[in-house]
Amino acid sequence: MKALNLALLMLLLVSGAAAQEPSKLSDAPGTMLVKNSWRRQVRNPALDEDPLTVNEDEAELERARKETTRRNVSRVKGNQEPLPLPNNAPRREMSPPFVEYIYEATISNTGEKTIRKLIWEYVLFDPKTEVQVGQHRFTNEVNIRPGKSANLVGRTKFPPAGVVDAKKAGNSSPGQYSEQIVIYRIEYKDGPAWERH
């Protein structure tokens, strides 16, 4: 029995490795990969901040001072200790800049049902050895009618490859890997979902 289980496990591992050959084509039913790409992006949240928030903070501080002054008039009349006036606007913590990786795939719906959700993976291979070096799974809510296309976008802080060749350690640019888009689940507007087994 153990020998049979071991043989089945080996068969699954071999078939799983064969299914990971680099290819740009998606084999999910009713879908066609139009294009795919990834890029590295440095984001600075401070640049996304509204410059007028400082004015809003100052206005909020002024409102708090007026409210405290109004309450203190009542407290003094009632022989209570006055409350201290707020003197500083709240300081907003700025997030430091960070690197994120953006993975994109344009998928065309060649089927007959409207697609409403896709679970997909961006898989990267070493082009010389064809060994998988990275994979990133994403979920996108979409509305792809038959005959239409949609751009899927996944964002992560993780670089494309989890395994890096020491000779290419400084190179983190698109084009250095073979890439494949694998769709794991398709949910339709009407009807049952399709799932890779």
Side-chain angles (χ1 to χ4, degrees), residues 22 66 158:
K66 287 180 180 178
F158 300 108

Side-chain angles (χ1 to χ4, degrees), residues 51-70:
L52 298 178
T53 56
V54 173
N55 295 345
E56 293 170 3
D57 291 345
E58 288 298 326
E60 181 62 33
L61 176 62
E62 187 58 32
R63 282 191 290 276
R65 284 181 180 160
K66 287 180 180 178
E67 175 62 21
T68 303
T69 302
R70 185 189 66 72

Side-chain angles (χ1 to χ4, degrees), residues 33-163:
L33 177 65
V34 177
K35 65 179 180 174
N36 64 291
S37 64
W38 68 271
R39 68 184 184 277
R40 179 181 185 265
Q41 177 175 310
V42 178
R43 298 235 3 239
N44 186 349
L47 296 177
D48 296 336
E49 289 285 322
D50 183 356
L52 298 178
T53 56
V54 173
N55 295 345
E56 293 170 3
D57 291 345
E58 288 298 326
E60 181 62 33
L61 176 62
E62 187 58 32
R63 282 191 290 276
R65 284 181 180 160
K66 287 180 180 178
E67 175 62 21
T68 303
T69 302
R70 185 189 66 72
R71 289 177 65 198
N72 280 343
V73 169
S74 299
R75 290 177 69 88
V76 169
K77 286 181 182 176
N79 294 327
Q80 292 179 324
E81 185 78 23
L83 300 171
L85 287 176
N87 56 9
N88 291 328
R91 297 193 64 86
R92 295 179 190 262
E93 290 294 321
M94 292 292 182
S95 299
F98 63 94
V99 174
E100 73 176 346
Y101 294 87
I102 301 169
Y103 300 89
E104 296 181 84
T106 302
I107 302 292
S108 180
N109 183 352
T110 59
E112 298 175 1
K113 299 177 187 175
T114 299
I115 299 171
R116 69 175 182 87
K117 184 176 183 180
L118 287 164
I119 298 175
W120 59 287
E121 230 172 53
Y122 204 108
V123 186
L124 300 108
F125 301 88
D126 181 296
K128 292 180 182 171
T129 63
E130 296 186 356
V131 171
Q132 181 178 319
V133 293
Q135 67 185 52
H136 307 277
R137 187 172 284 207
F138 305 103
T139 301
N140 286 112
E141 302 283 337
V142 294
N143 185 25
I144 314 173
R145 294 189 314 271
K148 301 294 182 184
S149 297
N151 193 39
L152 309 178
V153 179
R155 296 173 186 270
T156 181
K157 63 181 180 177
F158 300 108
V163 178

